Amino acid sequence: MVKKVNNPLKIDFQKCIIEGRLQQILPKHITSEPELINIWTIDINPQDSKYFIAFIRRNIKETDPISLLHLKRIQKNPNDKSLLKLILCSVEYIADREDIIKLLESIEKKTPNGNVEKIQYTNLNKDLKVPKEPPITRELINEWSKKFWPMVWNGNPNDQILNDYIIDMDSIRGKLDIISKQSQSLAKSNEIPVVSLFVNPLDPLNHILSIDQRNSTSGCQLDHSIMNGIKKVAEDEVKRRKLEQEAKESNNYREKTYLCLNFDVYTTHEPCSMCSMALIHSRIKRLIFIKPMEVTGSLRPESGHGYCMHANKNLNSKYEVFQWIGDEYPVGSVENYTCC
Amino acid sequence: MMTLDTPSSSSSSSSSLLISRKDAHIVMGYLHYERMKLAIKLARYALDHNETPVACIFIHEPTNSVIAYGLNATNHSLTGVAHAEFMGIEQIKNLVGPHHLMDFFKDVVLYVTVEPCIMCASALKQLNIKKVVFGCANERFGGNGTVLHINKDKALLNAPSLPKAESASYEAIPGILRKEAIMLLRYFYVRENKSAVTPRNKAERNLDKETFPDLIWSTYIDRETFIQEFGSAQSIHYENNSDLMSFNDDIDWSLIETPWDDIVEDLNEKCQSFNMIQRKKSKLETV
Ligand SMILES: [Zn+2]
Ligand SMILES: [Zn+2]
């Protein structure tokens, strides 16, 4: 985590634009009403808190699907000032009371005379409701802290997200140049000029280029460049694993590629609902597109039905999306009803 | 019991059904169940072969023929997009050629055990499918109402590739053999979780055979469509968010607890006999 002032990238935190070129694509948030979730809490003795904190750091923080970092983990118990109230984890992570009890039984502490003993707690329940995500303004955080549970103000959470993006502008420009040139040459020969490029983090130099093939002899209506790229990644991985098997002595084994996990994908046109969802299924990390599709696009809140597929809170996985807003990389044009 | 057979024999059996049961809705409902049974059997087959028990069959409506089938292959293939629907689409592509898909799909009805995900719902829409019938909701990714309403959206409204405006939107009918579809998924997750390191919760660990979520019909279709499909006699279920009774008052345990080893062979035969009829027809047309 770098401090904002030390970030070498120029970031416009108001407009969410990096280096004047990469527009972060986000759903329009309605944050005045928080989405509430239930969490497990227990009451503990103040002198035991360090054991619980260590336990949470070890066993819960990384694995709980809900980040609770915006909440203060420990509070004075309002009913009994001699006790502390502690947040264990989300109910989404562990739903069952028996499982929680089993987990808590594994916490041990050393007494001053060297004995190991089980730790005590009371009042285990999942009645407390807290906001699932932090709000974007300081005013709201004060309001929510009073209403639900004390929260930590870390600034607009999206500022931190913007600041934490790992962005290599030169590499991005190089990739966009490739798809832009390919798109223009397809347009010249009257092909559908939609092009995508898949970059595997395990093998970043061998990118996979794919084009729209719905008009080719063997292609059908669904052979969009993204779908073709996803299939090509799988085919290449099958080949690679076979080669690796054959050359058993060689020592350049590589970790297996799982789906398109953590891939960066570059595409000329904003993808349709099929393709944007296919990228969710494929677990990519980031998509950068050039041309928005007003009717069929499924990423920008202004496109189509505003699905914002990459950040739809009803879907349990997400990817980063940026639109390149410079005019350095022209692409062939397609009709606005075309699904890309 | 009526079974779906080759087109010639099925047309005779469905007409005798028309005589014995006067209500056309009962016939339609019956057809829905008979077709979905094939998909459920195929899903059970998938379960027995260590895949997610999601399966589908495609019906050519004018001839009441099975033309393609699909099962989920995401565990075996290396992509996250090898869903049952795509396997069936690929078969139909081989049947009619890649550039006649849309014209053909306007007569095609899909029976799938689990609601199509957003990706598949969109693919089916872009192919201009006639209708989708499914068993249970896809809670995480459902694209026919549960998460998004892809089948009713307006993204393809002006596409000139479609015969007429709005024809790309399709109805997706839920609830056919719903509990059976849910039970197959539960079998799968219980099995998966036995090998998991940390047990997540009790419901996933122990097989629940009794409780089922409500079927909220209005999430998927309006009242009018429901009555068109099942008749007004059933409309109480629309109000009560309950399963249709006449075909499905209890779970058909034998359907989901039998390994249907021959189902793929059966379906291949059905698809092939449709294929032969197609070829004969196109030969006649060219003569
Ligand atoms: Zn697409
Ligand atoms: Zn799907």
Side-chain angles (χ1 to χ4, degrees):
Chain A
M1 221 190 261
V2 274
K3 280 206 172 128
K4 273 191 199 176
V5 285
N6 296 334
N7 197 326
L9 293 167
K10 199 178 101 223
I11 302 176
D12 181 335
F13 288 97
Q14 288 293 307
K15 293 182 179 154
C16 308
I17 297 172
I18 298 173
E19 292 284 311
R21 289 295 184 275
L22 288 172
Q23 171 74 60
Q24 181 196 30
I25 304 295
L26 280 180
K28 286 204 171 70
H29 269 302
I30 307 154
T31 35
S32 54
E33 274 308 311
E35 186 190 342
L36 297 179
I37 53 160
N38 284 81
I39 49 172
W40 288 103
T41 58
I42 47 172
D43 293 347
I44 59 167
N45 288 317
Q47 64 269 27
D48 290 337
S49 61
K50 60 171 186 271
Y51 301 105
F52 283 101
I53 292 297
F55 171 78
I56 285 169
R57 197 183 300 127
R58 257 197 336 269
N59 297 298
I60 291 172
K61 240 179 186 159
E62 295 292 314
T63 38
D64 195 331
I66 313 279
S67 163
L68 300 173
L69 295 177
H70 56 291
L71 302 168
K72 288 193 177 150
R73 211 85 196 198
I74 299 188
Q75 275 302 299
K76 280 219 172 71
N77 188 330
N79 304 323
D80 181 349
K81 292 274 155 65
S82 69
L83 293 175
L84 297 176
K85 196 174 267 306
L86 172 103
I87 296 177
L88 277 171
C89 65
S90 69
V91 172
E92 190 175 316
Y93 179 43
I94 298 174
D96 231 47
R97 198 182 173 84
E98 292 161 37
D99 289 338
I100 285 273
I101 291 172
K102 208 173 279 170
L103 208 58
L104 287 169
E105 273 171 9
S106 69
I107 312 178
E108 290 172 335
K109 67 168 176 180
K110 280 206 176 84
T111 56
N113 50 25
N115 292 333
V116 174
E117 64 177 40
K118 292 251 176 314
I119 207 148
Q120 298 301 309
Y121 64 91
T122 55
N123 200 17
L124 169 66
N125 67 60
K126 54 175 176 183
D127 303 333
L128 188 65
K129 280 188 189 306
V130 297
K132 187 177 178 186
E133 276 162 16
I136 56 164
T137 66
R138 191 185 269 282
E139 290 71 44
L140 275 176
I141 219 150
N142 292 336
E143 194 187 312
W144 292 7
S145 290
K146 278 196 203 104
K147 213 165 156 187
F148 306 105
W149 180 267
M151 298 175 78
V152 193
W153 175 246
N154 293 320
N156 179 341
N158 193 53
D159 285 4
Q160 196 58 51
I161 291 171
L162 275 167
N163 194 54
D164 288 345
Y165 282 133
I166 297 162
I167 302 269
D168 179 342
M169 288 304 280
D170 289 342
S171 158
I172 290 171
R173 284 176 181 275
K175 304 292 190 290
L176 293 175
D177 192 48
I178 294 171
I179 58 172
S180 157
K181 287 200 169 113
Q182 178 84 23
S183 172
Q184 290 176 78
S185 95
L186 286 169
K188 257 184 214 138
S189 49
N190 280 324
E191 304 281 347
I192 295 175
V194 187
V195 181
S196 299
L197 190 134
F198 286 66
V199 181
N200 184 349
L202 299 172
D203 190 9
L205 296 176
N206 292 316
H207 58 241
I208 289 176
L209 189 75
S210 64
I211 60 171
D212 189 298
Q213 287 183 310
R214 76 190 83 176
N215 284 353
S216 78
T217 21
S218 62
C220 82
Q221 194 64 19
L222 305 179
D223 290 332
H224 304 183
S225 69
I226 299 266
M227 297 302 279
N228 289 335
I230 291 171
K231 281 183 217 154
K232 218 166 162 207
V233 168
E235 284 162 18
D236 283 12
E237 177 66 6
V238 170
K239 271 185 222 150
R240 195 194 64 80
R241 287 188 192 179
K242 217 178 138 218
L243 281 176
E244 206 176 69
Q245 276 257 292
E246 283 165 7
K248 275 203 180 103
E249 309 81 41
S250 104
N251 45 9
N252 47 4
Y253 281 118
R254 203 191 77 197
E255 211 180 304
K256 280 182 177 140
T257 293
Y258 169 72
L259 308 179
C260 299
L261 182 68
N262 292 331
F263 275 48
D264 288 338
V265 179
Y266 302 83
T267 191
T268 52
H269 297 73
E270 184 181 0
C272 73
S273 49
M274 171 180 68
C275 293
S276 56
M277 187 63 203
L279 294 173
I280 290 265
H281 287 318
S282 303
R283 313 282 177 81
I284 69 157
K285 175 163 166 284
R286 175 185 297 162
L287 178 88
I288 299 178
F289 68 91
I290 300 171
K291 181 93 178 63
M293 294 298 292
E294 269 167 33
V295 182
T296 60
S298 300
L299 300 175
R300 298 188 318 152
E302 303 83 12
S303 291
H305 289 250
Y307 288 143
C308 297
M309 210 72 82
H310 64 294
N312 186 317
K313 69 174 168 56
N314 295 318
L315 302 171
N316 61 359
S317 97
K318 290 178 164 57
Y319 51 90
E320 304 164 8
V321 173
F322 298 93
Q323 180 191 342
W324 184 269
I325 53 173
D327 53 10
E328 301 92 331
Y329 306 108
V331 297
S333 71
V334 296
E335 301 288 354
N336 69 346
Y337 47 76
T338 307
C339 289
C340 292
Chain B
M1 276 279 161
M2 179 197 149
T3 52
L4 269 185
D5 244 320
T6 53
S8 52
S9 66
S10 68
S11 58
S12 63
S13 57
S14 67
S15 61
S16 65
L17 201 70
L18 269 168
I19 299 158
S20 62
R21 296 171 191 262
K22 280 176 188 148
D23 192 343
H25 292 123
I26 296 180
V27 177
M28 198 59 230
Y30 201 77
L31 267 181
H32 281 337
Y33 279 94
E34 287 304 317
R35 291 163 173 178
M36 191 64 88
K37 270 184 193 168
L38 292 175
I40 291 277
K41 287 178 180 177
L42 190 58
R44 167 74 212 203
Y45 178 91
L47 182 75
D48 292 332
H49 290 79
N50 292 320
E51 271 293 352
T52 324
V54 179
C56 64
I57 62 160
F58 290 82
I59 298 284
H60 184 246
E61 190 78 13
T63 57
N64 183 29
S65 317
V66 179
I67 50 169
Y69 63 88
L71 26 82
N72 204 303
T74 47
N75 284 352
H76 286 138
S77 80
L78 298 180
T79 85
V81 300
H83 291 186
E85 293 90 334
F86 272 81
M87 180 170 161
I89 291 166
E90 194 62 26
Q91 290 175 4
I92 298 176
K93 186 171 138 184
N94 292 333
L95 182 70
V96 300
H99 301 299
H100 302 100
L101 276 179
M102 290 175 72
D103 189 42
F104 188 77
F105 260 94
K106 69 179 194 304
D107 291 324
V108 171
V109 181
L110 168 72
Y111 287 80
V112 58
T113 57
V114 180
E115 177 189 0
C117 76
I118 289 163
M119 173 186 75
C120 294
S122 176
L124 295 162
K125 183 167 174 160
Q126 294 183 42
L127 290 170
N128 199 26
I129 197 165
K130 183 178 183 182
K131 192 195 278 183
V132 168
V133 180
F134 64 89
C136 67
N138 184 336
E139 299 292 348
R140 285 166 68 208
F141 299 124
N144 284 336
T146 302
V147 179
L148 294 176
H149 249 121
I150 299 287
N151 53 319
K152 298 282 177 69
D153 79 16
K154 295 192 168 66
L156 290 168
L157 203 57
N158 297 313
S161 51
L162 292 164
K164 45 183 190 297
E166 267 187 289
S167 64
S169 79
Y170 59 88
E171 290 292 351
I173 313 290
I176 309 297
L177 291 172
R178 182 179 79 109
K179 291 179 179 174
E180 286 78 355
I182 292 175
M183 281 314 302
L184 285 177
L185 290 174
R186 286 183 185 167
Y187 290 160
F188 182 74
Y189 288 120
V190 166
R191 192 191 287 175
E192 287 274 286
N193 278 21
K194 266 186 194 154
S195 55
V197 186
T198 46
R200 293 291 290 273
N201 64 53
K202 207 176 175 179
E204 285 171 14
R205 220 168 33 215
N206 300 332
L207 186 59
D208 177 1
K209 293 185 168 189
E210 265 98 51
T211 54
F212 294 89
D214 284 349
L215 168 49
I216 319 290
W217 291 94
S218 60
T219 308
Y220 308 99
I221 50 176
D222 56 28
R223 210 166 175 282
E224 206 175 305
T225 311
F226 179 95
I227 289 171
Q228 248 171 44
E229 207 64 37
F230 301 110
S232 47
Q234 299 266 10
S235 68
I236 182 78
H237 297 297
Y238 191 88
E239 262 69 63
N240 291 352
N241 295 324
S242 53
D243 287 278
L244 302 170
M245 292 298 274
S246 42
F247 305 98
N248 204 22
D249 41 358
D250 198 11
I251 298 172
D252 188 345
W253 291 107
S254 70
L255 185 64
I256 53 175
E257 290 187 340
T258 311
W260 299 98
D261 293 333
D262 298 334
I263 184 69
V264 170
E265 212 175 304
D266 275 9
L267 289 168
N268 277 335
E269 259 170 47
K270 286 186 168 68
C271 296
Q272 261 156 29
S273 66
F274 177 79
N275 197 351
M276 301 243 290
I277 289 167
Q278 278 283 104
R279 273 167 213 266
K280 267 186 212 155
K281 211 181 87 193
S282 63
K283 244 187 194 169
L284 282 174
E285 275 163 6
T286 52
V287 166

